[in-house]
């Protein structure tokens, strides 16, 4: 098996640099925010963090391709870094501390590129999570000061905690009734949103989570962390990995049952 620990260490270096950039502008009164063509916000900090990460990657990993939310795809080849400079920009621009930089390394494999390294760094929360293929998932302040992540052992939906982002996306796709049925049948629901529910699944604090519309950079790092923690990460179609344009994550024990609810149309 390939050893991805050097890449993981480098991803932490990238996250450190991004954290310094994003925290320097968090809650800044003169923060510049624009609206992208898809009507989502982008701040100067999003662009600065991605430019910084791209610059370091181009110097240290010149043969690797880079896909980022703000500046698209550069390069080709079997290795591709996928970057979301600020996942949770709407939170960031409003001063809500739930946002993170997502960094993943993906490698060409059967069925498309698959994540082999992932780092999720949420500096305003003082939290970071990471994983490398075959090496497990961890959380902590640094590689040398970390705790291993394991998903929960909850095996009954009626005992499960379910996290989601919002109701509107499910309604727009005709799946709101199934979503609401699921919320009624679980023990607890909370709308944490963005990267956080996936990290809570990996920690075993939440048992299931799902979102109806996502991009690859929203999912790649989350996917490897959840799976290395012993969980399942698929699209709503059940396809493993971050390629379905939406996501469902769980402790594995409740995955099929959750998908049964979320794919109902009526």
């Amino acid at each position: 098996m390939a050893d991805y620990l050097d890449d993981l260490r480098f991803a932490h270096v990238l996250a450190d640099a991004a954290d310094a950039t994003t925290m320097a502008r968090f809650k800044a009164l003169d923060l510049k925010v624009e609206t992208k063509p898809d009507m989502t916000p982008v701040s100067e900090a999003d662009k600065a963090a991605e430019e910084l990460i791209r610059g370091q990657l181009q110097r240290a990993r010149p043969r690797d391709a880079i896909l980022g939310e703000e500046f698209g795809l550069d390069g080709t080849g079997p290795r591709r870094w996928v970057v979301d400079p600020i996942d949770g920009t709407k939170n960031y621009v409003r001063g809500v501390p739930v946002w993170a930089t997502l960094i993943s390394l993906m490698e060409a494999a059967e069925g498309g590129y698959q994540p082999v390294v992932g780092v999720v760094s949420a500096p305003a929360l003082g939290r970071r999570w990471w994983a490398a293929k075959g090496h497990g998932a961890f959380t902590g302040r640094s590689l040398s000061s970390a705790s291993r992540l394991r998903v929960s052992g909850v095996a009954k939906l009626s005992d499960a905690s379910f996290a989601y982002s919002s109701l509107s996306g499910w309604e727009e796709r005709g799946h709101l009734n199934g979503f609401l049925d699921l919320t009624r049948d679980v023990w607890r629901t909370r709308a944490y949103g963005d990267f956080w529910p996936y990290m809570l699944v990996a920690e075993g604090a939440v048992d299931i989570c799902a979102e109806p519309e996502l991009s690859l950079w929203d999912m790649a790092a989350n996917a490897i962390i959840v799976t290395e923690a012993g969980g399942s990460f698929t699209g709503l179609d059940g396809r493993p990995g971050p390629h379905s344009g939406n996501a469902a994550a769980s402790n594995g024990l409740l995955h099929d049952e959750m998908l049964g609810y979320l794919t109902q149309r009526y």
Side-chain angles (χ1 to χ4, degrees):
M1 182 178 5
D3 185 346
Y4 298 105
L5 293 181
D6 282 346
D7 293 311
L8 177 61
R9 282 189 281 269
F10 183 54
H12 275 271
V13 172
L14 297 174
D16 289 342
D19 286 355
T21 298
T22 53
M23 285 301 291
R25 300 298 292 153
F26 185 47
K27 295 187 178 182
L29 297 178
D30 60 344
L31 181 72
K32 294 183 178 64
V33 182
E34 302 170 2
T35 300
K36 294 191 285 189
D38 64 359
M39 301 308 293
T40 60
V42 58
S43 74
E44 63 183 87
D46 291 80
K47 294 180 178 179
E50 185 169 323
E51 286 173 337
L52 179 67
I53 291 170
R54 283 175 176 272
Q56 293 202 20
L57 281 168
Q58 286 161 356
R59 287 189 295 273
R61 299 286 195 277
R63 295 182 180 178
D64 294 351
I66 308 168
L67 173 65
E69 179 177 12
E70 306 308 334
F71 299 107
L73 176 64
D74 285 327
T76 60
R79 289 165 47 100
R80 178 180 295 176
W81 293 86
V82 179
V83 178
D84 189 343
I86 299 179
D87 182 51
T89 298
K90 291 177 183 177
N91 283 346
Y92 184 88
V93 301
R94 288 296 302 272
V96 178
V98 183
W99 50 271
T101 295
L102 278 53
I103 301 169
S104 178
L105 172 63
M106 303 185 76
E107 281 196 343
E110 188 175 346
Y113 285 84
Q114 297 300 326
V116 294
V117 166
V119 172
V120 173
S121 190
L125 294 176
R127 298 293 310 277
R128 184 176 290 185
W129 304 261
W130 62 89
K133 184 178 180 181
H135 293 282
F138 296 86
T139 185
R141 290 289 190 177
S142 66
L143 283 165
S144 59
S145 176
S147 302
R148 187 151 193 159
L149 298 173
R150 290 298 303 176
V151 296
S152 76
V154 172
K156 291 168 124 184
L157 205 60
S158 58
D159 295 331
S161 180
F162 171 44
Y164 61 97
S165 52
S166 67
L167 296 178
S168 58
W170 299 102
E171 185 173 28
E172 289 165 6
R173 284 153 193 81
H175 294 291
L176 181 60
N177 287 335
F179 173 87
L180 292 175
D181 285 346
L182 178 59
T183 67
R184 295 181 186 109
D185 288 346
V186 297
W187 167 64
R188 190 170 192 257
T189 62
R190 284 294 182 271
Y192 298 110
D194 300 308
F195 69 94
W196 206 7
Y198 303 96
M199 299 304 98
L200 293 172
V201 167
E203 291 179 356
V206 164
D207 310 301
I208 56 176
C209 70
E211 290 182 275
E213 184 178 18
L214 294 167
S215 298
L216 180 61
W217 46 77
D218 298 314
M219 297 182 280
N222 296 336
I224 184 70
I225 293 171
V226 168
T227 54
E228 284 292 320
S232 296
F233 189 105
T234 73
L236 296 176
D237 56 6
R239 179 185 175 192
H243 293 290
S244 298
N246 45 54
S250 75
N251 62 6
L253 301 172
L254 301 168
H255 204 81
D256 290 344
E257 197 171 0
M258 169 177 59
L259 292 180
Y261 281 85
L262 297 178
T263 54
Q264 294 176 29
R265 296 187 70 94
Y266 52 82

